[in-house]
Amino acid sequence: MSILEAFDMMDYGPAPEDPAEALAWLDAHERRFNLFIAGEWRAPASESWFESMNPATGETLAHVASAGAADVDAAVAAARRAQPDWWALGCHGRARYLYALARQVQKHSRRLAVLDSLDNGKPIREMRDIDVPLVARHFYHHAGWAQLLAEEFPGHEPLGVAGQVIPWNFPLLMLAWKIAPALATGNTVVLKPAEFTPLTALAFAELCREVGLPAGVVNIVTGAGDTGAALVAHPDVDKVAFTGSTEVGREIRRATADSSKRLTLELGGKSPFIVFDDADLDSAVEGLVDGIWFNQGEVCCAGSRLLVHEPVAERLLGKLRRRMGTLRLGPPQDKAIDVGAVVAPVQLERIRSLVDQAVADGATCYQADTPLPEKGLFYPPTLLTDVGPASIAAQTEIFGPVLTVMTFRTPDEAVTLANNTPYGLAASVWSENINVALGLAPRLKAGVVWVNSTNRFDAACGFGGYRESGYGREGGREGLVEYLIPDWQRRLPALREPEQSLPSAAFGSAPGTGAPLGIDRTAKLYIGGRQTRPDGGNSVPVATADGQHLGEVPLGNRKDIRDAVEAAHKAEAWEHSDGHTRAQILYYVAENLAERGEEFAARLRHMTAADVANARREVETSVERIFAAAAWCDKHDGAVHDPPGRNLTVALQEPMGTIGIVCPECAPLLAFVSLALHAVAAGNRVVAIPSPRYPLIVTDFYQVLETSDVPPGVVNIVTGRPAELSPVLAGHADVAAIWYFGAPSGTVAVKSASVSNMKRVWTHEGRGIDWYDPRQGQGRELLRQATQVKNVWVPYGE
Ligand code: NAD
């Protein structure tokens, strides 16, 4: 073709990336890879290897070791041996290694880009321009955190050995998100890459050797789901960090429930892409190309649900259909390709079958007339219209290049539709009116909100989900904390099981005190700002420390828990109240408790056999604690990040929603106010189960709440048997987090029940904290548990 003809056609010619260097690297390893354990390559005990395939051609790229339990054991042991020295190396020592890794990634960027493109099927252009630069950026950023760790996180220690499991959609990038913060904080790592895309993890292992990383600091075990299962279940792993599907996330939550492993889960999504009628529609179309056709739509935070303002729906869809016709599908190593291959036959089949089901449900399917390559696993960009909000296409993560469209009429309707899935990973909002966009952002249940942009990531800005998209963040300060533990938490004493739990016999089974009969004082449940009787109509006796009858409390049941959660739900306005308002109310609570201090001290004396001084001390410390919670109301601020590119990222500290609190037995008043009022200070609503031994001090406290202008439903109290009530609370879909400080034996049941909506569980694993110590009983750690970071990306400039 002559140049003149080429100008006439204005068509793309082939622009293939040269894969020679990456293929030579595979050949140098004879296309067979062992496990990377303790700094060396080791054959798997099973002597079995699996194939890693190029999805664009069907060719086998290499054979990769399949690690079994014995190999995982060896890798964890290597990481354990390496960890003390790695921590002892100090901040600057670790920073040098992370910096060296960043440089090494840059030096071999071409090889790494081609390898992931071959192994995963993703376009080379995206690997070269997005994935690899972000990988290097992650190591640079965390080299900085390694350097600053002692200064920025005084009194914190690494957790120990991190077991990390990653998916196939961003193989090298997910590795960086896992390994960089773990190493920066002094942990050592055993990482399992996804079985479809192990090659860049193995190439990274080699970079670790090249920079002289001490043996055992990073270990790579390849294999399928059973290798991952062996890793997360390993008893010597201290922290599990998982990225993958919500389904496997649930399995991992269950599998780790009976251990004290710390857990972060980065799971799936079905993210809304909201376009208002005043949006720049051409920009929104380009946003959609990035939102759903980037990486073939195999993106956890893909903008897979287009919610478009009704007046502009047809116009936007017309533009979108035209743009779909210009997207180029084809060989991923061609630099002019927009959409590459789907990772594996099973994924292609999943996409096809979900689209078929959507069409069978009544959806209209549009696919551009784009030629597909003759061989390889390709699926065309797809648009599904005529979709109802409850349909499979609107609810299920397809994880492919499929966009579902719905319309809305008002901002409220947009919010309702946007939040109408169990997920909460990300959202995009398109409007030229900054007030509209920023007004919507806090109302969206999502860990990341992009204004007039989409799929922006940076190492300084935490990424992670709400609800069934998981918990924990990767990136930024909030991501780092997930690998650290305050030193005092290492030294907590184990709690005994309570000596006395609620008697099984009902009303009247304990002997009276023999004191003259006063006027009966009936403790009730406290739900929605009202004192209520228990649904079951039963009460149970409460005894003094020496076994005398002290009174009765209602025996709450699952219906009472449900009522309390519903009351908390109705009090949603608290979440949007400002810190100053909340602070004033909490100060007033403290004032009213102080006013009745002697009465509360007397009650504590009766219940706990504390002497006068200690009972007064508990009340006075409680008043002080409420002051501390009130003080934090308007100070637990977010941050503004300035990541590369022209964006500001506003990191908001958002309340979790409704928090279920199971109170400990010790310091019954102080522990309750510390937990409940910090949660409330951060804008949450609370359903609390007092300790069964000392519930009366908490039921007395609702009178203080009533006189202090605490809105109905913000604090709810259900007495009864925690062993029965706490799994109900932990399993309730409208409870966003559970704080369990009850009897050690209840911890596993609560963690297991929490899988219902993947709620965040906070517990000290049956260890007791000193509620009088402000470091343990108040402040930042409680507020961190009471909030989740939402990063709102706001671009600037023309
Ligand atoms: P997957 O859950 O099937 O597998 C993820 C990883 O877990 C793989 O390495 C797999 O071998 C391993 N695994 C499977 N079963 C296991 C078990 N029982 N125990 C331990 N490990 C096990 O997910 P996938 O198909 O590889 O990836 C796609 C999913 O990942 C999507 O749902 C996507 O949304 C999600 N994802 C989330 C994020 C995020 O940051 N939130 C990022 C990327 C991908």
Side-chain angles (χ1 to χ4, degrees):
M1 187 195 306
S2 70
I3 293 178
L4 211 58
E5 284 164 346
F7 268 112
D8 269 351
M9 285 175 63
M10 284 305 280
D11 213 353
Y12 290 94
E17 174 69 65
D18 182 2
E21 147 79 11
L23 295 176
W25 181 79
L26 290 175
D27 289 338
H29 287 266
E30 296 172 352
R31 302 219 175 202
R32 175 176 288 259
F33 290 89
N34 286 334
L35 306 166
F36 186 68
I37 296 176
E40 49 186 54
W41 296 104
R42 288 192 195 171
S46 63
E47 292 287 323
S48 70
W49 284 261
F50 62 93
E51 284 183 0
S52 200
M53 184 200 81
N54 178 343
T57 62
E59 287 159 10
T60 299
L61 290 165
H63 284 85
V64 177
S66 184
D71 305 306
V72 169
D73 222 26
V76 173
R80 174 65 63 204
R81 279 195 304 277
Q83 199 274 328
D85 285 349
W86 178 243
W87 176 235
L89 191 59
C91 293
H92 182 60
R94 285 191 301 278
R96 282 180 173 225
Y97 279 110
L98 282 148
Y99 174 69
L101 284 169
R103 300 293 270 182
Q104 210 65 4
V105 166
Q106 288 180 318
K107 282 183 232 164
H108 297 286
S109 61
R110 181 71 62 97
R111 179 201 300 165
L112 294 168
V114 174
L115 272 178
D116 255 357
S117 174
L118 287 169
D119 209 14
N120 167 283
K122 55 170 63 205
I124 187 69
R125 184 170 50 82
E126 292 175 4
M127 268 314 289
R128 184 195 61 195
D129 298 346
I130 299 170
D131 291 42
V132 174
L134 278 173
V135 170
R137 160 94 182 119
H138 225 74
F139 281 102
Y140 273 114
H141 181 76
H142 284 88
W145 276 125
Q147 179 68 42
L148 299 176
L149 196 77
E151 219 173 305
E152 286 296 300
F153 294 91
H156 283 71
E157 295 174 357
L159 292 166
V161 173
Q164 306 180 319
V165 179
I166 56 173
W168 43 259
N169 58 342
F170 292 92
L172 188 61
L173 184 59
M174 291 299 102
L175 172 148
W177 284 17
K178 291 275 179 287
I179 290 185
L183 298 196
T185 44
N187 297 273
T188 53
V189 161
V190 179
L191 177 126
K192 191 202 87 67
E195 52 273 43
F196 296 144
T197 54
L199 297 182
T200 41
L202 298 163
F204 180 81
E206 212 165 70
L207 301 189
C208 292
R209 266 162 67 123
E210 285 164 15
V211 303
L213 194 72
V217 170
V218 168
N219 305 274
I220 308 283
V221 288
T222 45
D226 48 355
T227 309
L231 179 58
V232 302
H234 196 288
D236 208 23
V237 163
D238 302 296
K239 150 95 189 177
V240 171
F242 172 76
T243 298
S245 59
T246 297
E247 192 188 345
V248 174
R250 273 189 220 289
E251 277 179 45
I252 292 177
R253 170 71 283 183
R254 280 195 201 97
T256 53
D258 64 351
S259 75
S260 55
K261 289 178 186 128
R262 291 264 293 266
L263 179 62
T264 41
L265 299 171
E266 305 288 346
L267 309 176
K270 188 77 184 173
S271 300
F273 188 105
I274 306 168
V275 182
F276 281 91
D277 60 355
D278 64 352
D280 172 349
L281 295 189
D282 293 316
S283 297
V285 167
E286 289 314 306
L288 279 163
V289 170
D290 279 346
I292 185 64
W293 293 307
F294 167 59
N295 207 40
Q296 300 71 248
E298 296 165 336
V299 182
C300 52
C301 50
S304 54
R305 283 187 302 142
L306 168 60
L307 307 179
V308 52
H309 212 167
E310 210 173 73
V312 292
E314 274 319 306
R315 210 144 56 86
L316 181 72
L317 291 181
K319 284 173 184 281
L320 191 59
R321 288 191 190 100
R322 278 196 295 285
R323 181 69 174 93
M324 285 169 75
T326 65
L327 289 171
R328 299 190 75 230
L329 253 85
Q333 286 83 55
D334 186 326
K335 284 171 259 183
I337 282 301
D338 299 305
V339 181
V342 170
V343 71
V346 58
Q347 185 61 18
L348 186 61
E349 190 39 47
R350 177 182 160 85
I351 299 168
R352 281 193 182 131
S353 116
L354 283 166
V355 171
D356 289 350
Q357 284 180 58
V359 171
D361 279 356
T364 304
C365 176
Y366 173 81
Q367 292 174 336
D369 194 15
T370 316
L372 290 187
E374 278 163 20
K375 62 174 182 174
L377 308 172
F378 290 89
Y379 195 85
T382 299
L383 191 64
L384 294 175
T385 47
D386 302 315
V387 166
S391 67
I392 194 159
Q395 292 292 326
T396 309
E397 182 185 43
I398 297 177
F399 222 56
V402 182
L403 179 65
T404 297
V405 186
M406 283 175 283
T407 58
F408 66 87
R409 290 184 181 167
T410 62
D412 281 351
E413 207 184 358
V415 170
T416 307
L417 281 172
N419 291 339
N420 184 34
T421 76
Y423 296 112
L425 195 51
S428 290
V429 183
W430 293 73
S431 167
E432 289 299 290
N433 184 339
I434 193 78
N435 297 341
V436 169
L438 292 184
L440 219 67
R443 301 175 64 196
L444 297 171
K445 300 280 180 218
V448 184
V449 177
W450 293 291
V451 171
N452 292 329
S453 54
T454 193
N455 276 344
R456 311 295 316 239
F457 311 100
D458 184 59
C461 311
F463 181 88
Y466 281 28
R467 310 201 285 187
E468 293 189 25
S469 292
Y471 40 80
R473 295 290 180 266
E474 290 188 318
R477 179 180 277 274
E478 58 267 37
L480 222 59
V481 188
E482 304 287 354
Y483 285 91
L484 290 167
I485 181 168
D487 50 9
W488 56 264
Q489 281 186 23
R490 288 243 185 251
R491 297 188 296 270
L492 297 178
L495 282 177
R496 285 174 300 131
E497 286 297 316
E499 285 161 21
Q500 175 201 343
S501 53
L502 272 182
S504 53
F507 189 74
S509 59
T513 57
L517 187 65
I519 294 180
D520 177 64
R521 191 165 143 194
T522 305
K524 299 221 182 102
L525 306 179
Y526 187 60
I527 296 178
R530 291 180 32 232
Q531 302 180 24
T532 61
R533 294 181 197 290
D535 168 71
N538 287 320
S539 297
V540 278
V542 181
T544 59
D546 57 1
Q548 300 291 311
H549 181 74
L550 184 61
E552 286 91 25
V553 286
L555 184 64
N557 64 15
R558 56 175 56 236
K559 169 82 167 62
D560 298 310
I561 292 284
R562 282 205 298 270
D563 290 348
V565 175
E566 200 178 316
H569 184 96
K570 285 188 187 144
E572 198 191 346
W574 185 253
E575 197 168 312
H576 307 293
S577 61
D578 60 76
H580 176 59
T581 305
R582 293 199 297 273
Q584 287 186 72
I585 292 174
L586 292 197
Y587 284 127
Y588 196 23
V589 172
E591 179 188 327
N592 284 324
L593 176 61
E595 190 69 23
R596 295 172 59 175
E598 277 306 309
E599 177 197 330
F600 274 80
R603 181 68 117 174
L604 282 171
R605 269 201 334 272
H606 258 97
M607 288 189 324
T608 64
D611 60 23
V612 176
N614 275 321
R616 283 195 177 137
R617 179 174 170 238
E618 180 163 352
V619 176
E620 275 156 25
T621 313
S622 297
V623 171
E624 193 178 329
R625 192 59 45 89
I626 303 170
F627 256 64
W632 274 114
C633 285
D634 56 1
K635 294 174 192 66
H636 182 50
D637 290 332
V640 178
H641 304 298
D642 187 12
R646 291 181 303 167
N647 309 274
L648 290 179
T649 309
V650 184
L652 302 170
Q653 299 282 359
E654 291 201 338
M656 301 293 301
T658 297
I659 298 183
I661 298 178
V662 185
C663 295
E665 194 175 286
C666 56
L669 176 65
L670 179 59
F672 166 76
V673 299
S674 301
L675 292 167
L677 296 189
H678 274 81
V680 162
N684 298 285
R685 295 140 279 158
V686 159
V687 176
I689 303 174
S691 91
R693 193 165 180 192
Y694 306 124
L696 290 172
I697 197 75
V698 177
T699 53
D700 285 357
F701 192 79
Y702 58 59
Q703 293 179 352
V704 175
L705 296 170
E706 275 172 338
T707 50
S708 309
D709 298 340
V710 178
V714 170
V715 178
N716 304 278
I717 298 163
V718 180
T719 53
R721 297 195 180 98
E724 288 166 22
L725 298 180
S726 46
V728 179
L729 195 53
H732 199 298
D734 202 23
V735 173
I738 183 115
W739 295 0
Y740 184 82
F741 291 86
S745 56
T747 317
V748 177
V750 163
K751 285 193 203 167
S752 303
S754 74
V755 300
S756 63
N757 64 343
M758 303 307 287
K759 55 176 68 71
R760 199 158 104 184
V761 180
W762 182 33
T763 167
H764 285 313
E765 310 287 350
R767 300 190 165 269
I769 75 168
D770 177 1
W771 294 97
Y772 287 90
D773 178 352
R775 273 219 307 163
Q776 303 185 24
Q778 77 182 40
R780 288 194 186 277
E781 177 63 4
L782 279 98
L783 292 156
R784 187 173 81 78
Q785 297 291 346
T787 48
Q788 50 195 339
V789 176
K790 170 186 278 178
N791 273 297
V792 181
W793 288 68
V794 187
Y796 56 81
E798 279 300 308

